[in-house]
Amino acid sequence: MLDVTVIEDPEAAAVSLDPIRARLLAELAAGPASAAMLAGQVGLPRQKVNYHLKALERHGLVELAGERRKGNVTERLMRATAASYVISPLALAAVQPDPDRFRDQLSARWLLALGARLVRDVGQLITGAAKARQRLATYALDGEVRFASAAERAAFIQELTAGVTALIRKYDAPDTEGGRDHRIVVAVHPTLKKTELE
């Protein structure tokens, strides 16, 4: 089971967003289960659970983990293909955010558009790397800082911009044959309070 996977197909996204199917995905992320086992956990008839499992399986969101005999019936044990899922903007390709349409480094909506592009691009890179059976070279930095004032935050952003820009200038080799372009995204935003996360 993957830790996280990206759903790019619009039909798979629609299937995953159904509340009953989302609940089944959550149950199967905890461990393999049969339709009969899940029926008791979600309070639905086994046949209805089976129907939903087949829809999830058709879209690659669950897979067969094994089979077991129970009396004269063979039960299929299913498991989620990932512990969690992210829906790519590709699932809504016609209306996906485009950060190149409007650039404003201080806009929360532009930051959201950048985040959406990051999900889309990295999702496609993961898919391509999996098909090619290759590893994907990535890096991420995540941290928190408490600023004493808005002026301190502005000074931090100014230094961060100057530092990252200097690094880009130092290492950028646009004319190098065989080089590979990489995208750099750095974001600063307020941390959500615990009450906002619930």
Side-chain angles (χ1 to χ4, degrees):
M1 177 190 311
L2 299 170
D3 178 44
V4 63
T5 194
V6 179
I7 298 171
E8 297 173 336
D9 177 58
E11 289 179 25
V15 164
S16 72
L17 290 172
D18 175 89
I20 293 170
R21 292 172 183 164
R23 171 91 192 274
L24 292 173
L25 282 174
E27 294 290 341
L28 292 172
S34 68
M37 293 162 66
L38 290 166
Q41 293 169 341
V42 299
L44 290 173
R46 183 187 51 77
Q47 296 86 346
K48 195 145 192 125
V49 170
N50 231 357
Y51 167 79
H52 290 297
L53 287 176
K54 286 181 181 174
L56 291 166
E57 187 178 19
R58 258 192 320 275
H59 294 285
L61 301 172
V62 300
E63 63 190 5
L64 185 64
E67 294 180 333
R68 70 176 184 189
R69 277 306 270 168
K70 198 167 182 185
N72 40 342
V73 175
T74 302
E75 278 189 327
R76 298 177 79 221
L77 294 171
M78 304 302 290
R79 69 175 165 222
T81 54
S84 56
Y85 301 85
V86 175
I87 296 177
S88 170
L90 284 177
L92 292 168
V95 292
Q96 66 180 305
D98 180 4
D100 293 329
R101 195 176 308 137
F102 173 71
R103 291 183 67 89
D104 179 358
Q105 291 177 306
L106 300 177
S107 165
R109 296 190 189 283
W110 188 63
L111 175 57
L112 193 60
L114 285 174
R117 181 176 66 194
L118 182 68
V119 168
R120 182 198 67 202
D121 292 356
V122 174
Q124 287 184 290
L125 288 166
I126 289 170
T127 301
K131 285 180 183 172
R133 296 182 182 195
Q134 293 182 344
R135 289 184 51 106
L136 180 60
T138 62
Y139 168 79
L141 175 66
D142 180 36
E144 289 187 28
V145 60
R146 178 176 287 226
F147 297 111
S149 65
E152 289 285 316
R153 183 183 64 230
F156 173 86
I157 289 172
Q158 191 173 22
E159 281 187 54
L160 179 67
T161 302
V164 172
T165 302
L167 283 170
I168 289 170
R169 282 193 197 115
K170 179 178 179 179
Y171 290 99
D172 188 26
D175 300 326
T176 304
E177 192 173 315
R180 175 130 191 219
D181 292 338
H182 285 72
R183 180 171 303 282
I184 299 162
V185 177
V186 178
V188 176
H189 62 81
T191 304
L192 287 175
K193 296 174 185 163
K194 287 189 177 174
T195 54
E196 294 171 311
L197 292 170
E198 296 169 352

